[in-house]
Amino acid sequence: MTIEKATVFVIRKVNFKDSDYVVTLFGRGSGKFAGIAKGARKLESKFGGVFDLLNMVEVVFYQSSGLDFISEAELIENWEGMRNSGEAIDAGLRSARMVNKLLEEGQREIKAYDLIEETLSSLDESQVRSRVVELSFYLKLFRHLGYQPQLMECSRCGRPVEDEDPIKFSPEAGGVVCTKCSTGNEFQISAGLRKVFVKLIRTPQSKVKRLKVTENQLQEGFTLLDRFGQFHFGQKLILRAGSSPEPL
Amino acid sequence: MIEPLERVISEFKKLPGIGQKTAERLIFHLLTRDSDEVYRLSEALKGLTEEVKRCQVCGNFSLGDKCEICSDPKRDRGKICVVSRPWDIAKIESTHKYEGLYHVLGGLVNPIEDVSPEDLSISELTERAKDDRVEEVILALEPKTEGESTSMYIVKKLRPLDVEVSRIAQGIPVGRDLEFTDKATLGKAFEGRRGVD
């Protein structure tokens, strides 16, 4: 039995038996893994409320063939600022949902870990446009996992796609498509959205809040990533697009 | 294993916290009991679906269209306490500190589990809050991320209405040592401190 220590984010929590939690954790070195926190639901539990979703926690755990067994946990950061805004909490939870959906058990993704830490730090600040941070998170996570949409060159022939407006976009092809390669089955995106995507990818997550993104561009961006994600990952990833719940 | 046993075990396994071994143990135990006892259990389970309904006003468990609390003329109709699950009502009732009505949301907003505000009875709550008699809506949702998110959503929905919105206090549980209290809870306790008479 190996005892390990890791700093992790709580990205999912499920009640188990009368008083336990099964928590899905995501650590920088440990990757995504599930562990059982015995008695954590009890009022007198030594864990207290440390396994609240999105908390950054230092855990000590024993590796086992099934679920890891968590023996100690200490709260490092609970993003108090973020918890004062419904929209920020919502963006944080959706980001955690995306990590949980896209990463396999045991998968280590240091860049994805750093990204979620930067994202929660940004959401923790006051007066932040949470939806911009969230859109940027999705784009960057897709990039880290090798699924960045092709934005400047045609996804079919590789030639630069001129700054026409609107621009053709094909999730199947992996990004923008030039007029010559168009089959007529692509959908259209605005030139403004392409610029926004390029800026979001290039700008560190901590500075994304300074970028000007209109409400229309946000909606268009979520819709595009939703269609792109559904094609490449085979599941609905982004809740906000289409019939999504209204922002908090 | 013979088919009737497999069928019952498979149904037991659908219950939370019950796996194959526990299901087998429970079934084998039932097989050792006399048939009247097993029959009473099956009748009681049958009654769950036939007799227990959901109150059409608040969502609480009920024997009729309205639960005992909503039907009770002595309850304070100026207050609605919002809970996530029906069993939270029994817990609050056991305190004997509240005499108003309830509203069961049916869960908490949680994007991680694909639960959105539309999945909960929030629009029904706002409709109830429009009643002129309602003066206060008390949020008694769990003080965790999903509870906070749900509370803020409800506050936003109720803001245009002429109704006071409050939430139950947060902080250190009675009888608990400070030493073993996490910093988030301790912080909430300090924020919510009040004067001592």
Side-chain angles (χ1 to χ4, degrees), chain A residues 11-12 43-45 49 52-53 75-76 78 80 83-86 89-90 93-94 97 245-248, chain B residues 17 110-114 116-118 143-146 148-149 152-153 156-157 173 176 182-184 188 191:
Chain A
I11 58 172
R12 193 170 180 230
L43 202 57
E44 65 272 21
S45 165
D52 204 5
L53 289 171
L75 178 66
I76 295 176
N78 73 322
E80 195 63 40
R83 288 171 199 281
N84 292 324
S85 156
I89 296 176
D90 187 46
L93 288 172
R94 287 171 194 275
R97 174 184 182 273
E246 57 193 287
L248 299 177
Chain B
N110 186 354
I112 292 174
E113 306 298 338
D114 292 351
S116 70
E118 287 78 11
K144 56 185 181 183
T145 312
E146 313 91 291
E148 296 289 309
S149 169
M152 287 181 202
Y153 184 86
K156 198 172 175 179
K157 287 284 175 192
R176 172 123 191 176
D182 63 84
K183 63 182 180 183
K188 289 279 181 196
E191 279 172 14

Side-chain angles (χ1 to χ4, degrees), chain A residues 196-208:
Chain A
V196 165
F197 269 22
V198 170
K199 279 185 194 166
L200 288 175
I201 288 169
R202 288 180 183 162
T203 309
Q205 199 68 342
S206 58
K207 293 179 180 165
V208 154

Side-chain angles (χ1 to χ4, degrees), chain A residues 17-37:
Chain A
K17 293 192 175 169
D18 282 346
S19 59
D20 309 336
Y21 282 133
V22 170
V23 283
T24 304
L25 307 171
F26 181 48
R28 200 166 194 272
S30 53
K32 179 182 146 182
F33 65 101
I36 185 162

